[in-house]
């Protein structure tokens, strides 16, 4: 257990439905990241926050995806009008900015299946 | 972010030392080299990070030559539980975006 939690762990939804995932980072960490990972591939960066500010968003992220971190603590990732291509593991990570370490602590992930 | 190249897969036997090399020809002055380990259905886990020469911790060593264009992760005396995917990342520690490649799948056999 890294101290980063994600909920739910698994989500099955029908194409066209909206889904929302939650991530609770390590409490003192000011950075929070979202990644997507499909089978056989490495994690793909989606977006990251420093405190409540969303500082970077991947160009691969379509307008159907939105992420928030309203109080600089937990974060949510919403996917609207899900498509079968959205099926993947969604990973959240947190870290402490400003140090010399590139160490990110990952949660267990949320596995999304779109039918 | 510097592009990295790793072998797709490696096989080893229990008790052997495993060395996984990562090429990063375009590494920048401010970039650090970081390695992660990932087991199936889990998030990646930080193993080690270095800037130059050699870094050692309780699980691995990281060797970085003077030109820093490559690095080698060394796992001493591997066991079956070291079977995993290993990722090499190169980047500025203050940068937000992290680029994982497809990693090296290490299979340790009895």
């Amino acid at each position: 257990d890294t101290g980063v939690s994600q909920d739910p762990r698994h989500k099955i939804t029908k194409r066209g439905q909206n889904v929302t995932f939650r991530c609770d980072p390590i409490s003192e960490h000011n950075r929070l990241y979202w990644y997507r990972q499909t089978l056989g591939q490495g994690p793909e960066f989606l977006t990251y926050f420093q405190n409540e500010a969303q500082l970077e968003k991947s160009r691969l992220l379509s307008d159907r995806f939105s992420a928030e971190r309203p109080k600089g603590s937990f974060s949510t990732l919403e996917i609207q009008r899900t498509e079968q291509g959205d099926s993947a593991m969604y990973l959240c990570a947190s870290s402490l900015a400003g140090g010399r370490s590139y160490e990110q602590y990952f949660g267990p992930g949320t596995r999304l299946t779109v039918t | 972010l510097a592009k990295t190249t790793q072998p797709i897969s490696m096989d080893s036997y229990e008790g052997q030392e495993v060395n996984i090399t990562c090429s990063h020809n375009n590494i920048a002055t401010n970039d650090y080299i970081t390695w992660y380990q990932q087991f199936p259905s889990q998030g990646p886990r930080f193993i080690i990070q270095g800037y130059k020469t050699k870094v050692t911790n309780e699980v691995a060593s990281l060797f970085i030559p003077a030109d820093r264009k490559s690095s080698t992760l060394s796992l001493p005396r591997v066991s079956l539980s070291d079977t995993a995917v290993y990722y090499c990342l190169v980047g500025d520690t203050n940068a937000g975006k992290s680029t994982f490649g497809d990693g090296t799948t290490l299979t340790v056999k009895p």
Side-chain angles (χ1 to χ4, degrees):
Chain A
D1 184 1
T2 62
V4 178
S5 61
Q6 293 187 243
D7 182 69
R9 295 290 307 276
H10 303 272
K11 178 70 176 179
I12 300 174
T13 191
K14 292 184 177 180
R15 184 166 52 94
Q17 298 294 305
N18 300 341
V19 294
T20 300
F21 309 141
R22 177 179 170 123
C23 172
D24 286 272
I26 294 172
S27 58
E28 60 267 29
H29 284 180
N30 53 2
R31 280 194 174 175
L32 186 148
Y33 312 78
W34 284 100
Y35 295 85
R36 176 173 62 190
Q37 186 173 28
T38 54
L39 197 62
Q41 308 292 316
E44 175 186 33
F45 172 83
L46 294 179
T47 188
Y48 91 96
F49 294 83
Q50 182 153 323
N51 301 313
E52 64 275 12
Q54 187 173 18
L55 296 188
E56 190 165 353
K57 186 175 174 180
S58 169
R59 284 175 287 178
L60 298 172
L61 212 60
S62 75
D63 292 341
R64 297 185 296 107
F65 288 72
S66 63
E68 293 184 344
R69 194 183 183 198
K71 296 183 179 179
S73 57
F74 73 93
S75 175
T76 58
L77 176 70
E78 181 183 17
I79 308 174
Q80 296 183 327
R81 305 181 303 282
T82 53
E83 302 172 357
Q84 288 189 322
D86 297 330
S87 295
M89 176 75 86
Y90 289 83
L91 294 163
C92 171
S94 70
S95 72
L96 197 58
R100 296 185 64 186
S101 175
Y102 210 11
E103 183 172 0
Q104 296 181 25
Y105 293 79
F106 282 80
T110 295
R111 182 166 298 282
L112 173 66
T113 301
V114 181
T115 62
Chain B
L1 294 170
K3 179 178 170 57
T4 61
T5 302
Q6 305 174 232
I8 294 173
S9 63
M10 294 181 69
D11 289 342
S12 182
Y13 291 92
E14 283 190 293
Q16 290 187 332
E17 178 185 74
V18 171
N19 296 309
I20 306 174
T21 297
C22 179
S23 297
H24 29 81
N25 291 319
N26 296 322
I27 190 169
T29 303
N30 293 334
D31 288 346
Y32 279 70
I33 300 154
T34 310
W35 286 80
Y36 282 83
Q37 174 192 57
Q38 186 177 27
F39 298 113
S41 299
Q42 294 185 25
R45 183 177 73 100
F46 174 91
I47 301 174
I48 197 166
Q49 181 183 71
Y51 185 80
K52 61 180 179 181
T53 62
K54 177 183 174 182
V55 179
T56 297
N57 62 21
E58 63 276 9
V59 297
S61 294
L62 180 59
F63 299 91
I64 305 167
D67 66 6
R68 303 202 325 124
K69 293 184 183 298
S70 67
S71 59
T72 299
L73 174 72
S74 181
L75 304 173
R77 298 178 299 281
V78 294
S79 64
L80 296 176
S81 63
D82 292 316
T83 294
V85 180
Y86 293 82
Y87 296 98
C88 164
L89 280 73
V90 174
D92 187 323
T93 56
N94 277 318
K97 181 177 180 178
S98 299
T99 300
F100 287 77
D102 291 336
T104 297
T105 299
L106 172 66
T107 303
V108 180
K109 302 176 182 178

